[in-house]
C-alpha cells in the first residue's frame, strides 16, 4: 500500500472554475501535510501546509484536512491558466504522492 | 535570504559510469538536507536525508550514496550507474526549526544510456 495516494488525472477545468485535488494517506499518526505545485521541468514549490483538522485558506487556495478519514484536499478557486501544473501531496518530507496534473482551459 | 544551488543541471552518462551531483545552501545554518529522485510519471522518492555533518539516513537501498562533508553541502554519488538511475534529482532543505516546508534546488536531469 502506498503511503500517499493521489488521482493522477489529468484534471481539466475551465478558467474561473473550482479545481479540487484529493489525497489520502495510510499512516494514521501523520501530523503534517503539504501541497506543492510543480511546473513541467521545474522543481516543486510550496502552495500550502496544514496540520489541524478543518480548512485553511490562503488567497484562492484552501486546504482541507480530515484526519479521521485520512484525507487531505486542495481547492483552487477562480482557476487561472497559470495554475496549470502538477500538484503534489506530501506527508512531512518523507512521502509524496505521484501528483495530479491540472490543466486550466482559457 | 536563503538560496540553494544544485549542479549540474543536465547530464547524460553511460551505464557503469560514476556520478556526482552537488548541492549547496546559502544563508542558513544547520539545515536538514534531502535528496529526492523523480522518475518519469512518478512522484518524488526520498533517497537520503541528513540532519548534520556526516549524518546520512538512507531511505531506499540502491547503488547510490550521499555525503555531507560540510554543514551546507550535500553530495549524491554513484560508483556505477544503472539504466534505472535515470530521472530528475532534486536537492532540498528545511530549517531545523520551522514549518517543515521543503525548499528545492533547480534539479539535475540525469539520463543513463
Amino acid at each position: 500500500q502506498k503511503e500517499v495516494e493521489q488521482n493522477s488525472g489529468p484534471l481539466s477545468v475551465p478558467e474561473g472554475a473550482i479545481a479540487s485535488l484529493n489525497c489520502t494517506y495510510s499512516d494514521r499518526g501523520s501530523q503534517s501535510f503539504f501541497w506543492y505545485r510543480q511546473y513541467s521541468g521545474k522543481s516543486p514549490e510550496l502552495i500550502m501546509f496544514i496540520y489541524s483538522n478543518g480548512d485553511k485558506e490562503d488567497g484562492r487556495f484552501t486546504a482541507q484536512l480530515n484526519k479521521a478519514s485520512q484525507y487531505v484536499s486542495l481547492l483552487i478557486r477562480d482557476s487561472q491558466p497559470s495554475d496549470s501544473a502538477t500538484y503534489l501531496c506530501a506527508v512531512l518530507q518523507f512521502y509524496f504522492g505521484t501528483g495530479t496534473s491540472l490543466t486550466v482551459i482559457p | 535570504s536563503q538560496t540553494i544551488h544544485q549542479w549540474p543541471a543536465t547530464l547524460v552518462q553511460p551505464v557503469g559510469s560514476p556520478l556526482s551531483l552537488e548541492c549547496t545552501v546559502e544563508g542558513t545554518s544547520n539545515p536538514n538536507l534531502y535528496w529526492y529522485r523523480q522518475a518519469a510519471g512518478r512522484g518524488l522518492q526520498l533517497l537520503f536525508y541528513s540532519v548534520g555533518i556526516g549524518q546520512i539516513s538512507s531511505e531506499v537501498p540502491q547503488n547510490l550514496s550521499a555525503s555531507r562533508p560540510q554543514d551546507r553541502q550535500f553530495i549524491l554519488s554513484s560508483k556505477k550507474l544503472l539504466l534505472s538511475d535515470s530521472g530528475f534529482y532534486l536537492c532540498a532543505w528545511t530549517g531545523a526549526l520551522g514549518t517543515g516546508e521543503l525548499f528545492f534546488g533547480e534539479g539535475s536531469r540525469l539520463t543513463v544510456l
Side-chain angles (χ1 to χ4, degrees), chain B:
Chain B
S1 63
Q2 302 91 350
T3 57
I4 178 170
H5 300 286
Q6 184 182 341
W7 69 94
T10 306
L11 64 167
V12 180
Q13 296 286 101
V15 170
S17 64
L19 171 73
S20 181
L21 301 178
E22 190 165 341
C23 172
T24 60
V25 180
E26 297 177 357
T28 187
S29 297
N30 196 30
N32 295 329
L33 297 172
Y34 306 82
W35 278 111
Y36 297 88
R37 177 170 60 201
Q38 189 174 36
R42 301 182 66 178
L44 268 66
Q45 179 185 35
L46 178 62
L47 303 175
F48 301 95
Y49 70 94
S50 171
V51 299
I53 296 174
Q55 300 178 62
I56 308 294
S57 296
S58 174
E59 291 296 306
V60 182
Q62 56 214 334
N63 67 319
L64 300 173
S65 62
S67 63
R68 185 170 178 175
Q70 300 180 41
D71 181 45
R72 290 172 287 179
Q73 183 183 27
F74 205 22
I75 298 171
L76 182 69
S77 304
S78 175
K79 293 182 179 179
K80 290 186 176 182
L81 285 169
L82 306 174
L83 285 174
S84 57
D85 291 324
S86 294
F88 190 44
Y89 287 80
L90 288 157
C91 181
W93 71 274
T94 62
L97 298 174
T99 63
E101 173 185 0
L102 285 160
F103 298 91
F104 288 91
E106 304 92 336
S108 299
R109 188 163 302 280
L110 170 65
T111 302
V112 182
L113 301 176

Side-chain angles (χ1 to χ4, degrees), chain A residues 6-74:
Chain A
Q6 295 181 251
N7 290 329
S8 60
L11 174 66
S12 294
V13 300
E15 183 175 355
I18 296 175
S20 178
L21 307 168
N22 304 315
C23 172
T24 59
Y25 59 95
S26 61
D27 183 355
R28 185 169 292 277
S30 298
Q31 298 292 325
S32 305
F33 306 89
F34 300 81
W35 283 100
Y36 292 87
R37 176 177 63 198
Q38 186 177 24
Y39 292 113
S40 181
K42 303 296 185 182
S43 56
E45 55 183 353
L46 183 74
I47 297 295
M48 292 189 71
F49 62 86
I50 186 166
Y51 301 153
S52 303
N53 271 330
D55 295 0
K56 179 181 179 183
E57 185 174 320
D58 184 2
R60 296 186 296 111
F61 299 93
T62 299
Q64 299 174 318
L65 174 60
N66 184 325
K67 291 186 177 180
S69 300
Q70 296 175 238
Y71 178 90
V72 189
S73 66
L74 180 69

